[in-house]
Amino acid sequence: MDNSDTTGFDEKSFFDRVAAQFIERAPDLSKSLNIAIIGKVSSGKSSLINALLKRSRRQALELAKVGAISGITKNLTILKLDDKVYLIDSPGLDDVRAENSEITKKFLKHIDIGIFVVTGSSDASQKKNLDDLRQHCDSIFIVLNKIDEWDDLDPKVLNDIIDQWKNDLKIDKIYPTCTKGYDPKSRIPKMDIRGVYQLRSDIEEFLEKKGKDLLLVRHMTEKQSYAVKIIATALVAVGGEAFIPGSAVYITATQGAAIASLYYLYTGKILSPHAALGILPTFLAESTGSSLFLFAKSFLPPTGILDIAASSIAITITLALLATVNHILSSGASIEEEELLRSKFRTYRTQTEETFRELGCTDIRDLPEWSALVAKFLKNP
Ligand SMILES: Nc1nc2c(ncn2[C@@H]2O[C@H](COP(=O)(O)OP(=O)(O)OP(=O)(O)O)[C@@H](O)[C@H]2O)c(=O)[nH]1
Ligand SMILES: [Mg+2]
């Protein structure tokens, strides 16, 4: 096995460009791409962070704290690499779990790239820890650290140990590394960071390929939750407005405002109410029967039975309409594409039949209940 892998290493790589800084206050990890180092106590996690960032021993003193006594890293320590990427040093895996605080629970949920560090001879009990990590994160680099332990033996021994780890953890790839020399009490004059360059460049390659997508997916998930709120709020309003004489005017205004909000959410641009309403006629043509009913009804004085029917129609049409706009905008298409609007609206309109039945049991003023209904509706187009 060749561990002298300094060849092909790009000096301008991501880890070199960043000015890593520890941050005091835990950031909102749901908005960033998070790389976390996880593993048993004293496996060399903090040393690996210093090595990834190519710190000298003196610089390392100010960075991830390294020590021969186990449990040196007590809490999560979060390093900001750039605006969107965090590198997180964690205490030993069992400590992370035992602590079970809100921050560590969130932390486990938001790991995008896990670096799982093991040491010594293969230990099948680590498989459970790895499986736990896999539940939250599917991009995992597995590192066998402290390979210098076998320096005095035939190189075949290290190869056998690597094979055994692969077998026990059921994995194809493992990164053998050494991160010796970061302990301030260390007496060795030079750092020994074998294997770290290979790991670094593979993480960088992964970031290059997938990093943007991961961030985008996360960004979109967040946007969807705002979209759900916008749509649910509009439905509650529309449901109430259907009871008002002359309701069609109010309903159309609410729909226009919701479309403009969704447009702003996805494009960051303000759509004039006029332009927002401009896309409505397409939909009116699709649902003439019910809209005409609503329109005609709006001139009548409110009477119980009619109002409830009108309210349900107003709500289901508005739901299909806003779900269509949401779908089109979130997929990056333009809301001016009439054909797309039309066909998507038709699909959603059919889907509202089922939702319509659930509507019967929904309190018209209960926003959380509406939000749950809308979230479910948007999930199965
Ligand atoms: N022989 C050897 N020792 C290492 C290596 N990497 C780190 N160490 C030593 O192992 C000890 C623990 O290293 P840390 O980097 O503090 O390990 P950690 O996993 O962060 O430890 P905790 O935060 O206490 O869980 C220190 O004395 C390091 O100098 C290595 O590759 N080989
Ligand atoms: Mg540590």
mmCIF file of all heavy atoms in Angstrom, residues 40-47 64-67 71-75 77 89-92, ligand 2:
data_model
loop_
_atom_site.group_PDB
_atom_site.id
_atom_site.type_symbol
_atom_site.label_atom_id
_atom_site.label_comp_id
_atom_site.label_asym_id
_atom_site.label_seq_id
_atom_site.Cartn_x
_atom_site.Cartn_y
_atom_site.Cartn_z
ATOM 1 N N LYS A 40 -14.233 6.769 18.262
ATOM 2 C CA LYS A 40 -14.023 6.485 19.683
ATOM 3 C C LYS A 40 -13.116 7.528 20.334
ATOM 4 O O LYS A 40 -12.354 8.207 19.646
ATOM 5 C CB LYS A 40 -13.366 5.108 19.825
ATOM 6 C CG LYS A 40 -14.412 4.070 20.096
ATOM 7 C CD LYS A 40 -13.978 2.678 20.174
ATOM 8 C CE LYS A 40 -12.939 2.105 21.015
ATOM 9 N NZ LYS A 40 -12.890 0.654 20.902
ATOM 10 N N VAL A 41 -13.215 7.617 21.639
ATOM 11 C CA VAL A 41 -12.338 8.499 22.413
ATOM 12 C C VAL A 41 -10.877 8.205 22.075
ATOM 13 O O VAL A 41 -10.500 7.041 21.918
ATOM 14 C CB VAL A 41 -12.617 8.265 23.923
ATOM 15 C CG1 VAL A 41 -11.450 8.704 24.764
ATOM 16 C CG2 VAL A 41 -13.873 8.981 24.347
ATOM 17 N N SER A 42 -10.123 9.290 21.917
ATOM 18 C CA SER A 42 -8.662 9.182 21.717
ATOM 19 C C SER A 42 -8.222 8.503 20.423
ATOM 20 O O SER A 42 -7.094 8.052 20.323
ATOM 21 C CB SER A 42 -8.019 8.423 22.892
ATOM 22 O OG SER A 42 -7.237 9.313 23.611
ATOM 23 N N SER A 43 -9.126 8.424 19.445
ATOM 24 C CA SER A 43 -8.735 7.773 18.194
ATOM 25 C C SER A 43 -7.921 8.714 17.307
ATOM 26 O O SER A 43 -7.419 8.296 16.257
ATOM 27 C CB SER A 43 -9.976 7.274 17.458
ATOM 28 O OG SER A 43 -10.922 8.307 17.325
ATOM 29 N N GLY A 44 -7.836 9.993 17.728
ATOM 30 C CA GLY A 44 -7.054 10.943 16.943
ATOM 31 C C GLY A 44 -7.929 11.857 16.091
ATOM 32 O O GLY A 44 -7.482 12.406 15.090
ATOM 33 N N LYS A 45 -9.175 12.053 16.517
ATOM 34 C CA LYS A 45 -10.105 12.885 15.741
ATOM 35 C C LYS A 45 -9.611 14.331 15.650
ATOM 36 O O LYS A 45 -9.572 14.918 14.572
ATOM 37 C CB LYS A 45 -11.515 12.863 16.379
ATOM 38 C CG LYS A 45 -12.126 11.475 16.427
ATOM 39 C CD LYS A 45 -13.465 11.455 17.132
ATOM 40 C CE LYS A 45 -13.398 11.824 18.602
ATOM 41 N NZ LYS A 45 -12.611 10.919 19.426
ATOM 42 N N SER A 46 -9.229 14.899 16.798
ATOM 43 C CA SER A 46 -8.766 16.288 16.789
ATOM 44 C C SER A 46 -7.464 16.412 16.013
ATOM 45 O O SER A 46 -7.258 17.380 15.273
ATOM 46 C CB SER A 46 -8.593 16.801 18.221
ATOM 47 O OG SER A 46 -9.827 16.700 18.911
ATOM 48 N N SER A 47 -6.598 15.417 16.148
ATOM 49 C CA SER A 47 -5.338 15.438 15.388
ATOM 50 C C SER A 47 -5.648 15.404 13.886
ATOM 51 O O SER A 47 -5.003 16.094 13.097
ATOM 52 C CB SER A 47 -4.477 14.225 15.737
ATOM 53 O OG SER A 47 -4.175 14.214 17.106
ATOM 54 N N ALA A 64 -7.941 22.476 17.053
ATOM 55 C CA ALA A 64 -8.501 21.334 17.774
ATOM 56 C C ALA A 64 -7.512 20.833 18.821
ATOM 57 O O ALA A 64 -6.374 20.512 18.504
ATOM 58 C CB ALA A 64 -8.824 20.242 16.770
ATOM 59 N N LYS A 65 -7.935 20.781 20.054
ATOM 60 C CA LYS A 65 -7.046 20.378 21.158
ATOM 61 C C LYS A 65 -6.813 18.874 21.162
ATOM 62 O O LYS A 65 -7.736 18.088 21.076
ATOM 63 C CB LYS A 65 -7.648 20.808 22.492
ATOM 64 C CG LYS A 65 -7.693 22.299 22.663
ATOM 65 C CD LYS A 65 -7.350 22.692 24.104
ATOM 66 C CE LYS A 65 -7.167 24.187 24.225
ATOM 67 N NZ LYS A 65 -8.299 24.961 23.664
ATOM 68 N N VAL A 66 -5.522 18.540 21.242
ATOM 69 C CA VAL A 66 -5.110 17.143 21.159
ATOM 70 C C VAL A 66 -4.509 16.741 22.493
ATOM 71 O O VAL A 66 -3.839 17.552 23.129
ATOM 72 C CB VAL A 66 -4.043 17.004 20.038
ATOM 73 C CG1 VAL A 66 -3.423 15.624 20.051
ATOM 74 C CG2 VAL A 66 -4.662 17.314 18.687
ATOM 75 N N GLY A 67 -4.755 15.518 22.927
ATOM 76 C CA GLY A 67 -4.117 15.121 24.182
ATOM 77 C C GLY A 67 -4.086 13.626 24.403
ATOM 78 O O GLY A 67 -4.935 12.891 23.916
ATOM 79 N N GLY A 71 -10.689 11.805 26.240
ATOM 80 C CA GLY A 71 -11.792 12.721 26.516
ATOM 81 C C GLY A 71 -11.376 14.182 26.529
ATOM 82 O O GLY A 71 -11.942 15.002 27.240
ATOM 83 N N ILE A 72 -10.369 14.523 25.723
ATOM 84 C CA ILE A 72 -9.897 15.921 25.679
ATOM 85 C C ILE A 72 -10.963 16.827 25.064
ATOM 86 O O ILE A 72 -11.242 17.915 25.525
ATOM 87 C CB ILE A 72 -8.580 16.023 24.870
ATOM 88 C CG1 ILE A 72 -7.433 15.345 25.630
ATOM 89 C CG2 ILE A 72 -8.237 17.464 24.548
ATOM 90 C CD1 ILE A 72 -6.991 16.025 26.893
ATOM 91 N N THR A 73 -11.581 16.344 23.996
ATOM 92 C CA THR A 73 -12.642 17.140 23.376
ATOM 93 C C THR A 73 -13.934 16.838 24.143
ATOM 94 O O THR A 73 -14.440 15.730 24.116
ATOM 95 C CB THR A 73 -12.791 16.766 21.885
ATOM 96 O OG1 THR A 73 -11.515 16.862 21.269
ATOM 97 C CG2 THR A 73 -13.770 17.679 21.185
ATOM 98 N N LYS A 74 -14.399 17.871 24.857
ATOM 99 C CA LYS A 74 -15.537 17.631 25.754
ATOM 100 C C LYS A 74 -16.888 17.843 25.070
ATOM 101 O O LYS A 74 -17.857 17.173 25.337
ATOM 102 C CB LYS A 74 -15.466 18.591 26.960
ATOM 103 C CG LYS A 74 -14.258 18.342 27.839
ATOM 104 C CD LYS A 74 -14.576 17.276 28.889
ATOM 105 C CE LYS A 74 -13.450 17.155 29.886
ATOM 106 N NZ LYS A 74 -12.651 15.941 29.696
ATOM 107 N N ASN A 75 -16.938 18.860 24.242
ATOM 108 C CA ASN A 75 -18.202 19.179 23.572
ATOM 109 C C ASN A 75 -17.961 19.207 22.076
ATOM 110 O O ASN A 75 -16.831 19.077 21.638
ATOM 111 C CB ASN A 75 -18.679 20.562 24.004
ATOM 112 C CG ASN A 75 -18.877 20.613 25.487
ATOM 113 O OD1 ASN A 75 -19.598 19.810 26.048
ATOM 114 N ND2 ASN A 75 -18.194 21.543 26.139
ATOM 115 N N THR A 77 -17.048 20.863 18.880
ATOM 116 C CA THR A 77 -16.381 22.122 18.562
ATOM 117 C C THR A 77 -16.534 22.343 17.067
ATOM 118 O O THR A 77 -16.312 21.434 16.264
ATOM 119 C CB THR A 77 -14.894 22.112 18.961
ATOM 120 O OG1 THR A 77 -14.429 20.777 18.965
ATOM 121 C CG2 THR A 77 -14.677 22.685 20.335
ATOM 122 N N ASP A 89 -15.681 18.907 15.190
ATOM 123 C CA ASP A 89 -14.935 17.943 15.993
ATOM 124 C C ASP A 89 -15.869 17.493 17.110
ATOM 125 O O ASP A 89 -16.531 18.308 17.743
ATOM 126 C CB ASP A 89 -13.694 18.633 16.582
ATOM 127 C CG ASP A 89 -12.747 17.642 17.239
ATOM 128 O OD1 ASP A 89 -12.932 16.421 17.048
ATOM 129 O OD2 ASP A 89 -11.828 18.094 17.948
ATOM 130 N N SER A 90 -15.934 16.192 17.309
ATOM 131 C CA SER A 90 -16.870 15.714 18.335
ATOM 132 C C SER A 90 -16.095 14.958 19.402
ATOM 133 O O SER A 90 -15.012 14.462 19.159
ATOM 134 C CB SER A 90 -17.908 14.806 17.695
ATOM 135 O OG SER A 90 -17.301 13.616 17.262
ATOM 136 N N PRO A 91 -16.669 14.875 20.607
ATOM 137 C CA PRO A 91 -16.047 14.028 21.617
ATOM 138 C C PRO A 91 -16.226 12.572 21.201
ATOM 139 O O PRO A 91 -16.873 12.300 20.196
ATOM 140 C CB PRO A 91 -16.836 14.333 22.883
ATOM 141 C CG PRO A 91 -18.022 15.107 22.481
ATOM 142 C CD PRO A 91 -17.928 15.449 21.040
ATOM 143 N N GLY A 92 -15.683 11.638 21.944
ATOM 144 C CA GLY A 92 -15.843 10.227 21.590
ATOM 145 C C GLY A 92 -17.305 9.897 21.322
ATOM 146 O O GLY A 92 -18.204 10.503 21.905
HETATM 147 MG MG MG B 2 -10.591 15.388 20.439
#
